Amino acid sequence: MPACVPTRTADPNRPERAHPPHSPPPDRPRRLPRIAGADLSAAVAVFLIALPLSLGIALATGAPLQAGLVAAAVGGVVAGRLGGCPLQVSGPAAGLTVVTADLIQQYGWRTTCAITVLAGLAQIGLGCLRVARGALAVSPAIVHGMLAGIGVTIAVAQVHIVLGGTPQSSVPDNLRALPAQLANVDPAAVAVSVLTLTLLLLWPKLPGRAGRVLRMVPAPLVAVTGATVAAAATGLLLAEVDLPSWRSHALAGLPEGPVLGLVAAVLTTTLVCSVQSLLGAVAVDKLVSRRPGPDHVPRSGLDRELLGQGTANIASGCLGGLPVAGVAVRSSANVRAGAVSRNSTMLHGVLVVVAALLMVPVLELIPLASLAALVMAVGIQMVSLHHIRTVTRHREAPVYAVTAVGVVFAGVLEGVALGIAVAVGVALHRLTRTRITHEEKEGIHHVHVRGQLTFLAVPGLSRTLHLVPQGATGVVALDGSFMDHAAYEALQDWQNAHTARGGAVEITGRRPGVGVRIAEPAVLTSSPAADGTGGTGGTGVPPGAGCRCRPWTAWRNHQCEPPLSAPVNGRSDHESRDTGDLHDAEERQGGHGGWPTWPGTGDDPSGTGTGTGAGTGAGAGPVSRTGSVSGAGGPGASRTGADLVRGLSTFQRSTAPWVRGELARLAREGQRPTQLFLTCADSRLVTSMITSSGPGDLFVVRNVGNLVPPPGEESGDDSVAAALEYAVEVLAVRSITVCGHSGCGAMQTLLDPQPDGGPSARTPLRRWLRHGLPSLKHVQNGSGPWVRLAGRAPADTAEELCLANVIQQLEHLRAHESVARALKDGLLTLHGLYFHVGEAQAYLLTEVAGERVFDRVRAENLAL
């Protein structure tokens, strides 16, 4: 027998086959799916919230009260089973109240049900076209403004029921009828409403251990139950819930009315249902990612969510229910109750069905005034102060206000249209072409965003970010100066969800967002230096500092921690011209933000004081009202202290809020610079500008001529030697740079002949400049090495002396004992640098074929 054929001995104890050979085994009985305890408790909690709210929303729309229960049951079972967001709870939503009420008054209940069915079909069509993420292009200011307008409409209408009257058809009519209603108040209705609102507000604030236990019962249920019991106990005569027999429940009929009006009604219902459901799904994902512990809840599929919501609306409309959408209150309660699957949503719908069939006598005891007070409170909460502050901070308050006012006085569709028009107008002057690309390199996914990020770019951004697989390392590079609220939320939500599922994220560029926690992968994070050096711009990061800055990262791009508060005023003309709306982006994107302009330099990179900015030269000259700069060293500089005071005021107003957090960290931890930078005191040479550094990065020594007295010199000045000893032996810097510059006044003074023994030879300046005489000697005698500057000879003797002086001072450095010892141990490197002020060009001293050359900084120099 071939070896590949298995052999098997007959087993006499082996049972005979119960079915013929080559036939499938008989079907096993299916077991019911097991429901987790967390899902069961969450379903009960959501049901207790949904029951009174569904009745209240049905009352507010003027629909049959059973319609609210039908929509709640269908939303829970159908949308919960078919939707793309497992933990989102759907049902009759307050955001649909105004739309549904208008439809019922205009077309009647049966046609409204038909419109709901058609809206569901439209949602299914949108889901099949996979355009769900396009809904995210709607500005949050429009959505929040629409909800605020709906909330105002609901609250104004329900005030009449709370007072014992009947609401009118529109907000203006309700406002005009309010004085007459106040003159004819029903005390019993007001008493029940006040009790409902009191319980609703105070129940979540019960103190102590007992309060913690009692707060597990939802406040809406407590409020309605308390008001019902009180009304029954006192024998108040009030209008109560009336639930007719289910046999007489009205179902959907054929739509009747003008075609254009019906089309507009379907579009409005589709828009509100879809946008509210999709934004609710995104919010649920955010809540799930913030829950402690591991979560196995899949991320929402927005296209599937549209399909599920459309199917639920078809079912609800056919069964005579209200339109269905994702409900924020119930969804957040579901997540906070610990739900882990869609079973909680479906079970809540089953409980609503049971209540609708078996609890009718109990439900009919609820006073209508109590339900009206509950819905009025929901309407008031839809006008969120947090959202108003957010859109105001992002300069989108006009969009919010126009949308809200339009919804209140014209209607939902008209208000949203007005809001979109204003949003487009606001965005046009900010908007530029945005390119978003995705690339994988060595297992790291790079997403590069070029241009400005507005709500129009959110679908593309969201689509590209979701190309990064779960658990992978992603690097998002932002190459733009503006990010609006919608893009910020999309980026932050993706980052939180990605890191919560084991991924790693690094955001680079101008400034990441406020509150966006940068989760850097280990392969991208520099480890602390062996000797403990580091700091904001060093080669390592001190443990616990929480700094994510790269070595020599530009201070304008530092991302150590978000500012405590964002400056509002003090924007310089440099910022406006160079970065556009960067101030707005900093409020969203956070980071230190560096300075409004380069610190102490003004708009002019040379620091000469010819541009606009926060200061000039080495001083702190401020921006004057005419745009000119006044400060030390500038032509026509003021001789009074007014410039200094204005400069300090500008710093406190414009710069201090951005750097306060970083300076506080440095104050706690002490300085840990990795470089000693020795340069001239010339006001045009701004070290923080040419090295792209900030607080804590450089230990700077400045003097006239960037001179280093040799050790043992009887000069009577040990300041430079003391700085060298402190930097090398105490701070353990890893490099020392001597930086000269063009047009150095000290070198020019050395070249000017002075009579021996003259009065000027005994001045402090001449005594100090004797440490530059060795440099002058090498130039005059030609004994030193011939120095080139980026392939050309020095322009004149003064430039040659400036270059030779850098080389000579490096030799003086090597003669100091602390420097020599660190060089011998390999703990220190020396660099020569020459900065040409007129060209704004830095040249680094290198050796090419045994020849010393000051060359432009190239990519290969970064290894230094």
Side-chain angles (χ1 to χ4, degrees), residues 52 190-207 211 214-231 366-367 369-371 373-374 376-378 381:
V190 172
V192 170
S193 301
V194 170
L195 178 60
T196 302
L197 293 175
T198 302
L199 290 174
L200 191 65
L201 295 177
L202 297 183
W203 189 261
K205 301 179 181 179
L206 292 177
L214 292 174
R215 287 198 302 269
M216 296 176 65
V217 182
L221 179 66
V222 173
V224 173
T225 303
T228 302
V229 172
I366 300 175
S370 178
L371 293 179
L374 177 64
M376 184 180 70
V378 173
Q381 291 172 356

Side-chain angles (χ1 to χ4, degrees), residues 53-325:
L53 283 178
S54 299
L55 293 172
I57 291 172
L59 173 66
T61 61
L65 296 184
Q66 296 102 319
L69 300 177
V70 171
V74 171
V77 177
V78 178
R81 178 66 184 88
L82 302 178
C85 183
L87 301 187
Q88 175 162 252
V89 181
S90 300
L96 294 164
T97 303
V98 175
V99 176
T100 310
D102 289 341
L103 295 179
I104 293 173
Q105 290 182 359
Q106 189 171 357
Y107 299 106
W109 172 241
R110 294 171 64 86
T111 300
T112 300
C113 291
I115 291 173
T116 302
V117 173
L118 294 176
L121 291 173
Q123 285 182 296
I124 291 179
L126 294 175
C128 293
L129 293 176
R130 306 182 67 84
V131 297
R133 294 196 179 276
L136 300 179
V138 180
S139 170
I142 297 175
V143 177
H144 298 320
M146 178 189 71
L147 295 178
I150 293 173
V152 171
T153 305
I154 293 173
V156 173
Q158 297 309 299
V159 165
H160 287 272
I161 302 179
V162 167
L163 297 176
T166 303
Q168 304 298 318
S169 59
S170 65
V171 174
D173 292 340
N174 281 320
L175 292 176
R176 282 192 294 266
L178 190 57
Q181 185 62 61
L182 291 173
N184 189 22
V185 172
D186 184 353
V190 172
V192 170
S193 301
V194 170
L195 178 60
T196 302
L197 293 175
T198 302
L199 290 174
L200 191 65
L201 295 177
L202 297 183
W203 189 261
K205 301 179 181 179
L206 292 177
R209 183 177 303 176
R212 192 180 307 115
V213 176
L214 292 174
R215 287 198 302 269
M216 296 176 65
V217 182
L221 179 66
V222 173
V224 173
T225 303
T228 302
V229 172
T234 56
L236 296 176
L237 297 177
L238 292 167
E240 296 174 341
V241 170
D242 182 18
L243 293 175
S245 172
W246 286 103
R247 296 178 181 178
S248 61
H249 180 61
L251 303 180
L254 293 176
E256 298 178 359
V259 176
L260 292 179
L262 292 175
V263 170
V266 172
L267 291 178
T268 303
T269 306
T270 304
L271 171 67
V272 178
C273 289
S274 302
V275 171
Q276 184 164 345
S277 299
L278 294 176
L279 294 179
V282 173
V284 168
D285 281 348
K286 186 189 305 183
L287 291 175
V288 171
S289 65
R290 291 175 180 173
R291 286 200 307 197
D295 253 314
H296 305 288
V297 180
R299 190 165 48 193
S300 297
L302 298 185
D303 293 307
R304 179 180 173 180
E305 181 66 19
L306 266 186
L307 294 174
Q309 294 291 337
T311 306
N313 273 314
I314 293 175
S316 181
C318 290
L319 295 176
L322 292 171
V324 171

Side-chain angles (χ1 to χ4, degrees), residues 466-483:
H466 283 83
L467 295 178
V468 181
Q470 291 189 11
T473 298
V475 178
V476 182
L478 303 177
D479 186 15
S481 60
F482 177 80
M483 178 188 294

Side-chain angles (χ1 to χ4, degrees), residues 120 510 572 617 728:
R510 289 194 177 270
S572 65
V728 174

Side-chain angles (χ1 to χ4, degrees), residues 526-543 545 547 549 551 665-666 669-675 695-698 731-734:
S526 298
S527 59
D531 59 352
T533 61
T536 51
T539 59
V541 180
C547 182
C549 304
R665 185 185 69 82
L666 291 173
E669 301 175 3
Q671 61 170 331
R672 295 182 181 181
T674 57
Q675 303 178 55
D697 290 347
L698 302 179
L731 299 178
V733 297
R734 306 305 299 272

Side-chain angles (χ1 to χ4, degrees), residues 263-431:
V263 170
V266 172
L267 291 178
T268 303
T269 306
T270 304
L271 171 67
V272 178
C273 289
S274 302
V275 171
Q276 184 164 345
S277 299
L278 294 176
L279 294 179
V282 173
V284 168
D285 281 348
K286 186 189 305 183
L287 291 175
V288 171
S289 65
R290 291 175 180 173
R291 286 200 307 197
D295 253 314
H296 305 288
V297 180
R299 190 165 48 193
S300 297
L302 298 185
D303 293 307
R304 179 180 173 180
E305 181 66 19
L306 266 186
L307 294 174
Q309 294 291 337
T311 306
N313 273 314
I314 293 175
S316 181
C318 290
L319 295 176
L322 292 171
V324 171
V327 186
V329 175
R330 297 171 220 180
S331 301
S332 60
N334 193 33
V335 174
R336 293 192 177 97
V340 295
S341 72
R342 62 179 72 246
N343 291 333
S344 63
T345 302
M346 298 170 60
L347 185 57
H348 128 269
V350 173
L351 293 176
V352 172
V353 173
V354 173
L357 296 177
L358 303 181
M359 296 179 58
V360 172
V362 176
L363 297 178
E364 289 184 337
L365 297 176
I366 300 175
L368 294 181
S370 178
L371 293 179
L374 177 64
V375 176
M376 184 180 70
V378 173
I380 294 173
Q381 291 172 356
M382 293 173 69
V383 185
S384 171
L385 294 179
H386 170 71
H387 291 154
I388 294 175
R389 286 193 294 266
T390 301
V391 299
T392 302
R393 186 168 66 249
H394 296 298
R395 301 200 309 175
E396 294 177 346
V399 179
Y400 181 94
V402 169
T403 305
V405 173
V407 169
V408 170
F409 291 100
V412 175
L413 192 61
E414 293 82 356
V416 170
L418 289 174
I420 292 175
V422 175
V424 171
V426 169
L428 280 178
H429 78 281
R430 305 175 181 169
L431 186 62

Side-chain angles (χ1 to χ4, degrees), residues 835-849:
F835 185 74
H836 196 290
V837 175
E839 298 175 359
Q841 177 66 54
Y843 297 88
L844 191 64
L845 178 61
T846 59
E847 250 188 73
V848 179

